[in-house]
Amino acid sequence: MGAVPRLIEPPAMPEGVRRIIETIGNSARAELLHNLAAGPATATDLAATLGVGRGTVHAHLGALEKAGLVTGDIPEGARHGRTVHWHLDRSAVDAYLDELRHYLTGR
């Protein structure tokens, strides 16, 4: 079987869909969202559950927060040295999934 050509930037893919895939197409981020669906958690709790470093979890939570999929109970500028409890924004996740579903299925 021959090598499958790699698509780097699909020309017809809408920018919003590309951002969705970049954000939630990552298995670590998907697992964080899955864990937060059970209820709020700290980065330390999530790191222990997933068996990864807290810095890694913070980096992914930052990307998910920037995308509007999670929120912290302490504003970003006031977090230094404080424990943040992260919450899943179900309506934002639903909107992302609806847009992706529409792109993939055409409806």
Side-chain angles (χ1 to χ4, degrees):
M1 183 182 211
V4 176
R6 182 173 176 196
L7 276 175
I8 303 296
E9 293 289 330
M13 182 178 285
E15 178 64 21
V17 172
R18 185 188 61 74
R19 278 194 313 271
I20 290 167
I21 292 169
E22 286 177 358
T23 303
I24 63 174
N26 176 294
S27 60
R29 292 179 189 161
E31 192 64 20
L32 286 171
L33 293 172
H34 173 75
N35 277 270
L36 288 172
T42 66
T44 301
D45 294 336
L46 292 165
T49 298
L50 300 177
V52 297
R54 206 172 86 214
T56 299
V57 169
H58 274 290
H60 287 300
L61 287 170
L64 292 169
E65 181 179 39
K66 184 177 177 183
L69 298 173
V70 301
T71 57
D73 63 349
I74 299 172
E76 188 174 353
R79 292 181 184 159
H80 185 68
R82 299 178 69 191
T83 300
V84 178
H85 288 84
W86 293 92
H87 304 260
L88 178 70
D89 184 334
R90 290 178 191 277
S91 62
V93 172
D94 287 343
Y96 262 51
L97 294 176
D98 287 345
E99 186 173 348
L100 183 59
R101 183 180 305 105
H102 175 73
Y103 175 73
L104 294 175
T105 66
R107 45 187 177 117

